[in-house]
Amino acid sequence: MGVGRTSRRLGGRAGAGILGGALGLAAAAQAAETAPGLHAHNAVGFAVLIGLTIFATILSLLYLRERARWTRREHTLTTELAELRGAHDRADLLLGSEPQVVVTWDARGEPRIEGDVGITAEAARAGSPRRVLAFGSWLVPADAAALDAAVEALCGRGERFRRTVHTLQGRTVEAQGQAVGGQALLRLRELTGERRELVELRATLEEARHGLSALAGLLDAIPQPVWRRGRDGRLAWANAAYVTAAEAGDVDHAVRESAELLERSAREEADRRRSRGAGNPLRVSAVVAGARRILDVTEVATDSGTVGIAVDVSELESVRADLQRQMDANVRTLDQLPTAVAMFDARQQLIFHNAAYRQLWDLDPGFLESRPLDGEILDALRNARKLPEQADFRSWKAGVLGAYRAAEAQQNWWHLPDGRTLRVLADPNPQGGLTYLFEDVSERVHLESRYNVLMQVQSETLDTLREPVAVFGTDGRLKFANRAFAQVWRITPEMLEVQPHIDQVIAACRTLSPAEEPWTQIREAVTGLVDARHGLTCRLALADGTMLDCAAEPLPDGATLLTHIDVTASVNVERALTDKNEALERTTRLRDEFVHHVSYELRSPLTNIIGFTELLGDETVGALNPRQREYADHIMRSSAALLVIINDILDLASIDAGSMELTRERVDVQTTIAAAVRGIGDRLAEADIALVLDVPADIGSFVADGKRIRQILFNLLSNAVGFSAPGQQVRVCARKDGESLVLEVADQGRGMPPEVMARVFERFESHTLGTRHRGVGLGLSIVRSFVELHGGRIDIASAPGTGTRVTCTFPVGDGEAHLAAAE
């Protein structure tokens, strides 16, 4: 560009010189034409000569001048060329100072590769510099793909980049791409020395940043509060759990306000423990999110301050307390067990023993509390002669201690010198060690021996019984049968040995007793469900006329006991008694019918007698003299008494036949008592007996048969007046007792001895006891029958010389229901 500008300047100056020479020739020619006497031809030539001379002179001057300029320009260019060569050499030196490759893409997109292509061994061996751009052949796949994408973005959009890639041989290469002067430039430089260390440190720093970010995210995700303090002790950072626990809102607010989770005393104690180098966590109580919790606080000193974490152990403390209580309860429970328990750890040291263990071996408590070894305890027991006698104690002891290496529990029997028998169970613990259970089975062994003897005695006893006995098991098979059973049912010994099923036994017995129903019941009793089984009694009739009473009784162990009793004689007697009883029942029915008919037939003429006597007494057929009137009165009283007896007999007959029905109505208690008293009033006056009524005004009423209640009271009052002496009292009481009405009649008469009271309610039992009272003995029997028909009860209390008290109790709770049913 400098050369072009110099040529243009030289051409301008030469044109100016030529223009000056032409002007001179023109001036010379004009002068020649104007000069007189000169020849025109000479003048022209002279002018041309002068112009040429001037032109040559000017051209020479111009040449010299331009030559000097070209010389100076050449010198400048030579200097610049030398400088460029030096720069090129320095650039080559710089490129060769370290392994690197520069790739340049011009406007046509053709790459130009410069530098040490041996940066990759694969490209060097291939011999083609363009193989450098085949990144996948010498870079790790991830870096090759990333570098391809970055180069594509550089060539397409001019995006610059800088990244570190790794070769397949493990070397580190820095790739830098940028656009320079419209061209894309890629620089690949192997990192060595300090630059490599710098890149590695930068990568380490980036990885540390990512790790810190991940750690911060992890700490924010954990539920335990975590914090960091500066050297001044102020809060510098906290995770989300700390912010939530301290109720600070966010991390910035917590750091700015120095929100503390722990109290001052707890922080000071943590500082003291940290200064002493204590590594155990500090257990403190703190308010976490408004609730009091138990925390394990751990703080560690760092170069920039301290870091700490708080673990909520409230539930752990609760569980630990519950576990401790459970362990204490287990210890107390084990101390109450009669089985001796001893626990040894993996080092064979005693760690626990209960009271039964101490009592079993009678060892010194101080010795046991010193946590002796298992072998030491065995030696102490051997010296005290409390272990089984062994010919080779060392081998026996090694066998006992071998249980520590066993996979399953081992059971042994120790027969002690004092006569006791122990069942020893050695159970290995999953965490190592052993648990011994010493159970004194001396009594059980003794009982088992006695049980075996008892079973033998029982078997012999059952075999000697004359009654057939058999026992069937839970599977329905015959487990035992005595000789009588086998003889009665003709079962062979071979069949008994195979323990036949109940079906086989029934099939064999059906030949002697063909009735089907009893055997079906027996089979159900033997093979039924355990929960549904119940006792069974039935009768079996054999073909020879023998009668057997069969009883099937379930046993506690699920078996069934089957017994037979020969009741042939009893059946015969029973038949005779049944026939006799039927004859007696027929006789009783005939008697009742006879009494009923006779009473009915007597009451009809008696009614006529009473009617005619009343007519005579009224003197409607004529006047009577005093003696006739007296006789008519006697006839009237005797007829009335006889009518009462006949009515009582008819009532008892109706009761016995079950045909008497009560006419239920609402009965006023006071009115009923008054009516009964009126019926006995003349006898009270004649016998000079005072009547005392103890009836509350509000006694009310109850539902009953009023006629029968009056009859009950009349009979009781008649007996009381009959057995009372003149001047004595008869007392009538009525009271309500809950859901019952109590009517009581008491007298002050002679009373009754016990032998009379035992038969006082029987029919036709009449005892005058030295009084003038006479009767056929039906009054109290009628009273009891009527009271029981009402659903009540009658009680009598009497003793000689103290009078008699008869109490009738009637239920009143269900009277309304009876009345509604009657209506």
Side-chain angles (χ1 to χ4, degrees):
M1 296 177 63
V3 177
R5 288 194 297 269
T6 304
S7 300
R8 285 195 296 271
R9 289 196 297 270
L10 291 176
R13 293 173 180 173
I18 295 173
L19 181 56
L23 291 176
L25 290 177
Q30 185 177 6
E33 290 179 356
T34 59
L38 294 179
H39 193 268
H41 181 74
N42 293 331
V44 173
F46 181 72
V48 173
L49 180 61
I50 292 173
L52 291 174
T53 302
I54 295 171
F55 174 75
T57 301
I58 294 171
L59 184 61
S60 298
L61 293 174
L62 291 175
Y63 170 75
L64 293 175
R65 182 179 179 182
E66 292 300 327
R67 182 176 179 182
R69 290 181 178 177
W70 278 103
T71 301
R72 290 195 301 273
R73 181 62 181 171
E74 182 180 3
H75 179 70
T76 302
L77 292 176
T78 302
T79 303
E80 291 179 356
L81 179 60
E83 292 177 355
L84 290 175
R85 287 178 178 174
H88 182 270
D89 293 338
R90 288 193 300 274
D92 289 340
L93 180 62
L94 181 61
L95 288 175
S97 62
E98 56 183 345
Q100 61 180 333
V101 176
V102 177
V103 183
T104 307
W105 284 271
D106 55 15
R108 294 176 299 176
E110 293 295 330
R112 186 174 60 201
I113 301 174
E114 297 176 330
D116 184 7
V117 295
I119 194 173
T120 168
E122 289 79 357
R125 285 199 299 269
S128 175
R130 295 182 63 88
R131 293 298 297 273
V132 175
L133 298 178
F135 303 123
S137 63
W138 59 282
L139 293 178
V140 295
D143 291 343
L147 189 56
D148 280 332
V151 169
E152 184 178 355
L154 172 65
C155 296
R157 299 183 296 274
E159 296 180 1
R160 60 187 306 171
F161 66 89
R162 180 192 294 269
R163 65 176 60 249
T164 302
V165 296
H166 300 82
T167 66
L168 296 175
Q169 287 76 27
R171 292 177 295 172
T172 305
V173 177
E174 181 186 34
Q176 179 181 1
Q178 60 183 356
V180 179
Q183 295 181 347
L185 177 66
L186 172 64
R187 182 182 182 186
L188 300 174
R189 178 172 54 181
E190 183 178 359
L191 299 180
T192 58
E194 295 180 354
R195 292 185 59 83
R196 181 174 182 178
E197 294 179 1
L198 179 61
V199 170
E200 291 176 353
L201 291 176
R202 187 179 299 164
T204 303
L205 177 60
E206 189 67 21
E207 184 178 357
R209 287 177 179 174
H210 290 301
L212 289 175
S213 177
L215 180 61
L218 176 62
L219 293 178
D220 276 336
I222 63 176
Q224 288 80 19
V226 180
W227 64 89
R228 179 172 61 84
R229 301 182 186 277
R231 294 181 178 178
D232 56 355
R234 291 180 59 84
L235 185 67
W237 177 85
N239 67 342
Y242 184 97
V243 174
T244 302
E247 299 179 334
D250 55 19
V251 178
D252 296 336
H253 182 270
V255 174
R256 184 171 60 254
E257 298 296 332
S258 187
E260 293 294 345
L261 177 62
L262 306 178
E263 299 177 356
R264 180 182 297 275
S265 58
R267 297 198 301 272
E268 293 175 354
E269 178 63 23
D271 293 339
R272 287 193 295 269
R273 290 171 63 88
R274 189 171 58 256
S275 62
R276 293 196 304 265
N280 296 329
L282 173 63
R283 181 155 297 178
V284 298
S285 175
V287 177
V288 177
R292 178 67 64 176
R293 310 293 289 178
I294 304 299
L295 303 178
D296 271 356
V297 179
T298 303
E299 277 196 336
V300 180
T302 61
D303 295 338
S304 59
T306 59
V307 293
I309 183 173
V311 180
D312 189 350
V313 295
S314 303
E315 296 183 1
L316 178 62
E317 281 296 310
S318 176
V319 171
R320 182 175 297 172
D322 292 341
L323 179 60
Q324 186 62 38
R325 287 193 296 270
Q326 184 177 0
M327 291 178 62
D328 295 340
N330 291 338
V331 170
R332 291 193 298 270
T333 303
L334 291 176
D335 268 340
Q336 300 300 323
L337 290 178
T339 302
V341 180
M343 296 182 183
F344 294 84
D345 59 11
R347 295 175 296 178
Q348 300 185 10
Q349 283 187 326
L350 180 66
I351 58 176
F352 172 79
H353 64 282
N354 63 349
Y357 183 83
R358 295 191 300 271
Q359 296 173 1
L360 175 64
W361 299 118
D362 192 20
L363 293 173
D364 183 16
F367 172 70
L368 295 177
E369 293 298 333
S370 65
R371 302 184 66 178
L373 296 175
D374 193 1
E376 296 176 354
I377 295 177
L378 293 177
D379 292 338
L381 293 176
R382 178 173 180 266
N383 295 332
R385 299 186 61 82
K386 295 181 179 180
L387 290 180
E389 296 294 339
Q390 302 293 333
D392 188 356
F393 177 76
R394 180 173 298 180
S395 300
W396 181 85
K397 176 181 176 182
V400 172
L401 298 180
Y404 284 90
R405 299 182 298 274
E408 297 179 354
Q410 297 182 358
Q411 177 176 306
N412 296 302
W413 298 85
W414 291 5
H415 302 282
L416 304 184
D418 57 1
R420 291 180 298 172
T421 301
L422 299 182
R423 186 179 72 91
V424 182
L425 181 64
D427 187 13
N429 299 326
Q431 296 80 15
L434 201 65
T435 298
Y436 284 107
L437 299 177
F438 299 92
E439 183 180 2
D440 189 350
V441 295
S442 304
E443 184 177 358
R444 189 174 72 181
V445 171
H446 178 63
L447 290 177
E448 184 176 356
S449 176
R450 291 183 58 187
Y451 172 77
N452 293 332
V453 173
L454 181 61
M455 290 298 295
Q456 293 177 359
V457 172
Q458 183 179 7
S459 177
E460 293 295 332
T461 303
L462 292 177
D463 251 351
T464 57
L465 290 178
R466 298 180 60 183
E467 290 78 10
V469 177
V471 178
F472 291 88
T474 55
D475 56 355
R477 292 188 172 276
L478 182 62
K479 301 298 182 181
F480 171 79
N482 63 351
R483 287 191 294 268
F485 188 89
Q487 292 173 359
V488 168
W489 298 112
R490 301 176 185 176
I491 299 177
T492 62
E494 293 78 9
M495 185 176 181
L496 293 177
E497 289 180 359
V498 299
Q499 294 186 355
H501 193 264
I502 181 64
D503 293 335
Q504 297 173 320
V505 175
I506 292 176
C509 297
R510 285 282 298 275
T511 58
L512 301 177
S513 178
E516 182 178 356
E517 182 177 357
W519 293 112
T520 302
Q521 296 176 354
I522 293 173
R523 186 184 187 283
E524 291 178 356
V526 172
T527 61
L529 296 177
V530 176
D531 296 338
R533 290 192 308 149
H534 52 82
L536 169 69
T537 57
C538 60
R539 179 161 292 178
L540 298 174
L542 274 65
D544 58 358
T546 304
M547 303 296 293
L548 298 178
D549 271 354
C550 176
E553 189 68 24
L555 300 179
D557 60 349
T560 304
L561 175 66
L562 188 65
T563 61
H564 299 311
I565 299 177
D566 190 348
V567 294
T568 305
S570 300
V571 168
N572 295 332
V573 173
E574 181 182 353
R575 290 173 181 172
L577 292 176
T578 301
D579 295 340
K580 184 177 181 180
N581 184 57
E582 290 177 353
L584 292 175
E585 287 180 354
R586 288 194 298 269
T587 303
T588 303
R589 286 196 299 270
L590 290 174
R591 183 200 66 186
D592 293 339
E593 292 176 359
F594 173 77
V595 170
H596 181 73
H597 287 85
V598 169
S599 299
Y600 180 77
E601 295 298 331
L602 287 174
R603 189 168 61 172
S604 297
L606 184 61
T607 304
N608 295 330
I609 294 173
I610 293 174
F612 288 123
T613 304
E614 288 178 352
L615 290 175
L616 293 174
D618 293 340
E619 298 183 358
T620 57
V621 295
L624 299 178
N625 57 32
R627 184 175 295 279
Q628 290 175 340
R629 188 177 296 108
E630 182 181 359
Y631 290 161
D633 291 339
H634 282 295
I635 293 172
M636 188 67 183
R637 286 195 296 271
S638 299
S639 300
L642 181 58
L643 181 61
V644 170
I645 294 173
I646 292 173
N647 289 334
D648 289 343
I649 293 174
L650 289 176
D651 289 340
L652 289 175
S654 299
I655 293 173
D656 292 340
S659 60
M660 175 169 285
E661 295 183 0
L662 298 178
T663 304
R664 294 186 181 272
E665 58 185 352
R666 185 163 295 282
V667 179
D668 185 83
V669 179
Q670 286 186 333
T671 303
T672 303
I673 294 176
V677 170
R678 283 195 302 270
I680 202 68
D682 56 344
R683 294 184 59 185
L684 290 172
E686 180 181 355
D688 191 17
I689 303 298
L691 179 65
V692 179
L693 297 179
D694 184 9
V695 181
D698 59 347
I699 190 65
S701 61
F702 72 111
V703 177
D705 190 333
K707 177 182 176 182
R708 303 306 179 185
I709 298 298
R710 288 191 297 270
Q711 191 173 351
I712 290 171
L713 291 173
F714 180 81
N715 287 342
L716 294 178
L717 288 172
S718 297
N719 284 341
V721 172
F723 288 99
S724 297
Q728 294 181 341
Q729 291 182 351
V730 174
R731 186 181 184 87
V732 179
C733 298
R735 66 179 185 275
K736 287 285 186 67
D737 185 8
E739 295 294 327
S740 301
L741 174 68
V742 180
L743 299 178
E744 185 177 278
V745 177
D747 62 65
Q748 298 175 343
R750 294 177 177 271
M752 293 180 290
E755 62 273 10
V756 174
M757 284 186 59
R759 301 190 304 274
V760 71
F761 289 110
E762 296 181 6
R763 299 174 185 178
F764 303 104
E765 286 288 336
S766 179
H767 302 278
T768 61
L769 299 178
T771 65
R772 297 173 59 186
H773 181 72
R774 297 291 184 271
V776 295
L778 296 178
L780 290 180
S781 179
I782 290 291
V783 169
R784 184 179 67 174
S785 299
F786 286 162
V787 171
E788 291 177 352
L789 281 176
H790 282 83
R793 69 179 185 276
I794 184 171
D795 299 313
I796 186 169
S798 180
T802 61
T804 302
R805 184 177 68 255
V806 181
T807 304
C808 299
T809 304
F810 298 92
V812 298
D814 58 348
E816 297 294 338
H818 286 298
L819 181 59
E823 292 177 352

